[in-house]
């Protein structure tokens, strides 16, 4: 294997129909540009994470601002009511659920580093359950997908879907 090339193939077993691949190109022409893009991306995430407040509402406000979304857009993307988003932004919730945190993270398409920050600010943590393992999977690998695509994956695993269940099918 060439130096500077990283490849990764994850699969459960040889008979599995699910295969995940991550590739880092070592093409010499793209190397400086890719390295610079990765550095800029990581620097931006680090800067955002460093400026996040310790409170849930403060962290949520900062991440909504960073995402550039309106409350209305986030409500649709996260399958959460605007009133709930406003309540979460304006007062420290004592009953925010892990499902709400996952919905907000997916709705804003937060990179895993930032969804981890929001989860930490909520005071919640994942447990070793099939549902929570799937939530972690969604936040780590499917954060650029829509809430509907994530719900389709949850449904395929016979797990509870996220958000309002008034989807048009």
């Amino acid at each position: 294997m060439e130096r500077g090339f990283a490849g990764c193939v994850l699969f459960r077993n040889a008979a599995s129909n699910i295969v995940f691949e991550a590739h880092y190109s070592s093409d010499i022409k793209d190397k400086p540009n890719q390295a610079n893009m990765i550095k800029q991306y990581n620097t931006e995430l680090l800067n955002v994470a460093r400026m996040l407040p310790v409170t849930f509402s403060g962290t949520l406000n900062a991440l909504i601002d960073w995402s550039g979304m309106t409350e209305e857009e986030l409500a649709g993307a996260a399958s959460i009511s605007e009133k709930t988003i406003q309540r979460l932004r304006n007062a420290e919730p004592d009953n925010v659920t892990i499902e709400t945190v996952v919905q907000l993270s997916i709705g804003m398409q937060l990179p895993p580093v930032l969804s981890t920050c929001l989860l930490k600010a909520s005071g919640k943590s994942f447990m070793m359950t099939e549902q929570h393992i799937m939530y972690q999977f969604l936040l780590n690998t499917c954060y650029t997908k829509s809430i509907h695509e994530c719900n389709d994956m949850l449904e395929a695993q016979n797990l509870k879907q996220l958000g309002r269940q008034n989807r048009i099918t």
Side-chain angles (χ1 to χ4, degrees):
M1 187 181 296
E2 271 184 70
R3 188 173 175 92
F5 175 84
C8 180
V9 178
L10 303 174
F11 60 94
R12 203 176 81 208
N13 63 41
S16 176
N17 291 329
I18 302 173
V19 178
F20 299 95
E21 296 183 11
H23 296 275
Y24 178 78
S25 173
S26 65
D27 186 350
I28 199 80
K29 292 178 277 184
D30 290 337
K31 203 171 196 176
N33 189 36
Q34 279 183 335
N36 190 39
M37 288 174 58
I38 292 169
K39 184 174 178 71
Q40 286 177 352
Y41 177 77
N42 287 339
T43 299
E44 179 183 1
L45 291 181
L46 185 59
N47 288 338
V48 170
R50 283 182 174 159
M51 67 88 181
L52 291 174
V54 294
T55 64
F56 180 78
S57 60
T59 298
L60 179 60
N61 277 320
L63 291 173
I64 290 172
D65 291 344
W66 179 78
S67 75
M69 297 180 87
T70 64
E71 287 178 355
E72 181 180 10
E73 290 168 337
L74 179 55
S79 193
I80 296 176
S81 74
E82 278 185 74
K83 283 194 182 287
T84 298
I85 292 170
Q86 289 167 358
R87 182 180 52 82
L88 294 172
R89 290 183 86 173
N90 295 324
E92 276 310 300
D94 55 0
N95 61 348
V96 66
T97 65
I98 204 160
E99 288 77 14
T100 298
V101 175
V102 171
Q103 286 173 249
L104 290 165
S105 297
I106 291 169
M108 288 184 278
Q109 296 187 330
L110 294 179
V113 168
L114 299 181
S115 62
T116 299
C117 292
L118 186 61
L119 184 68
K120 183 178 178 183
S122 77
K124 305 292 182 188
S125 59
F126 290 117
M127 297 170 55
M128 285 297 128
T129 66
E130 194 174 352
Q131 188 81 39
H132 283 202
I133 294 293
M134 190 65 181
Y135 289 161
Q136 289 178 73
F137 172 81
L138 295 174
L139 293 180
N140 289 326
T141 62
C142 303
Y143 63 93
T144 60
K145 297 193 180 302
S146 74
I147 193 83
H148 303 297
E149 291 170 301
C150 291
N151 274 334
D152 288 344
M153 287 184 245
L154 288 165
E155 184 178 28
Q157 298 297 313
N158 295 316
L159 297 171
K160 182 179 174 237
Q161 295 182 37
L162 295 163
R164 297 173 273 173
Q165 300 304 313
N166 57 359
R167 294 181 12 180
I168 299 171
T169 55

